[in-house]
Amino acid sequence: MSGAPWYFDCDTGIDDALTLGLLVAEGADLKGIGSVSGNLSAAGGARNTLDLMALMGRPDVPVAVGAHDPIGGVFGGGAEFVHGANGIGEVELPHVGEPVAESAAAMLVRLAHEHPGTLRVLAVGPLTNLALALELEPELPSLVADVVIMGGAALVPGNVSAVAEANIWNDPIAAQAVFDAAWPVTMVGLDVTMLARFEESHRTELAAGGAAPAALAAMLDVYFQYYTPILGRPSCALHDPLAAAIALGVVVPTLAPVAPVEVDTTDGPGRGQTLVDLRGRFVGYPAQPDVRHTVPLEIAEGFGDRLLESLLRLP
Ligand code: RIB
Ligand code: CA
């Protein structure tokens, strides 16, 4: 568990919902949560986040609606085929609470000023809110301890194109701004998140837990339907939960080189590709003192078991 204050940015989303569960179960000190359009609209993501946090016993955490459109573009409509029409696998939760009045970007800037040097940022959707916060407060990188994102792919294929991962593809300009800023960024990409899995046995055990675990298990029906043909058996990838686990120190990658990352911001076939300079690979990735990007490439097996153990602690 990390005692640091956290700002969490998400597009809630089934794997985002599992991540909220992990953060709550691990006792992360969540100071605020921002939503962003991605899996569904930013407004819909905030609704899901509020309802899930109430179900998990944390209705006190403020939730801010973030950017609807990507930088310089228009929101394309979400990923209903992955997460269902309401983003959480058609599971209907009681509506509890309302978002706060400030935007997600303003919330991030405010929290950074309230917790200078200690605020940790975990972002598991498109990076629009972080880019807008950098515009609002150019000193933001010096106020934030570090940024962990779920996004990108270094040595493996993309998931929305041959080369691009969804969060980066949805707002490549914002992603480039986040990698350009002078803060440490850990890019938890498809290299490791496609290795982190929930199997049918995990879902069955989760369904037998309390109200929150059972609701999460019900959402997984839709997510498993999407992933079963991709992975070859009933199961799913645990993208966002793995990013949170790495941020919290619950999972320590077995290989995570420091390597510069650039994003393809064109509208061509490379749109959204993360170009990770791994040329140090054959000499053991020598230290690069001026580089601020870390890219996990390998993890040990067993994250699904660890996530299940945490989620079953929820009410
Ligand atoms: O590519 C995986 C990412 O896209 C995850 O953050 C998931 O929630 C989806 O939005
Ligand atoms: Ca997400």
Side-chain angles (χ1 to χ4, degrees):
M1 185 180 102
S2 166
W6 290 88
Y7 167 80
F8 180 52
D9 200 274
C10 51
D11 57 335
T12 312
I14 295 170
D15 61 327
D16 307 71
L18 296 171
T19 308
L20 287 168
L22 179 63
L23 291 167
V24 170
E26 293 297 321
D29 185 8
L30 290 165
K31 299 298 185 190
I33 302 176
S35 71
V36 63
S37 293
N39 293 324
L40 72 171
S41 70
R47 182 71 270 156
N48 289 343
T49 303
L50 285 161
D51 298 346
L52 282 158
M53 289 299 282
L55 185 68
M56 293 170 184
R58 291 300 310 275
D60 55 299
V61 179
V63 175
V65 179
H68 180 75
D69 292 320
I71 308 282
V74 175
F75 175 51
E80 187 175 331
F81 55 101
V82 185
H83 298 269
N86 70 352
I88 50 173
E90 319 304 352
V91 171
E92 292 295 335
L93 298 176
H95 293 332
V96 181
E98 294 298 332
V100 295
E102 67 185 344
S103 70
M107 173 187 268
L108 170 52
V109 169
R110 176 177 59 75
L111 290 174
H113 280 285
E114 288 174 8
H115 306 278
T118 59
L119 185 73
R120 302 195 61 200
V121 175
L122 172 61
V124 298
L127 295 168
T128 320
N129 292 331
L130 274 61
L132 292 173
L134 286 165
E135 281 178 20
L136 280 176
E137 175 50 279
E139 297 303 316
L140 190 64
S142 67
L143 297 167
V144 162
D146 74 322
V147 176
V148 178
I149 69 160
M150 188 283 130
L155 293 170
V156 298
N159 61 2
V160 287
S161 77
V163 294
E165 180 281 329
N167 288 338
I168 306 297
W169 190 91
N170 273 318
D171 197 339
I173 294 172
Q176 183 63 60
V178 168
F179 284 116
D180 279 344
W183 49 18
V185 180
T186 300
M187 183 188 103
V188 182
L190 298 175
D191 301 81
V192 280
T193 67
M194 288 299 286
L195 304 174
R197 308 273 179 88
F198 251 2
E199 305 288 345
E200 189 63 53
S201 57
H202 294 115
R203 183 165 62 144
T204 303
E205 279 195 59
L206 195 62
L216 292 171
M219 291 170 205
L220 284 171
D221 277 344
V222 167
Y223 209 47
F224 269 47
Q225 276 171 36
Y226 173 76
Y227 270 107
T228 296
I230 293 171
L231 300 176
R233 61 172 185 269
S235 55
C236 72
L238 296 167
H239 303 292
D240 298 348
L242 182 69
I246 289 175
L248 289 163
V250 166
V251 168
V252 178
T254 47
L255 178 65
V258 169
V261 182
E262 296 277 332
V263 179
D264 186 331
T265 56
T266 69
D267 263 334
R271 174 195 164 110
Q273 180 176 16
T274 44
L275 302 145
V276 185
D277 187 345
L278 293 170
R279 284 176 288 179
R281 181 177 186 180
F282 303 106
V283 285
Y285 296 112
Q288 299 192 68
D290 297 330
V291 179
R292 300 177 307 275
H293 307 151
T294 301
V295 183
L297 295 176
E298 294 175 9
I299 53 165
E301 289 184 7
F303 176 57
D305 295 342
R306 180 63 180 80
L307 178 62
L308 177 67
E309 182 193 316
S310 290
L311 296 179
L312 285 174
R313 278 187 242 135
L314 295 169

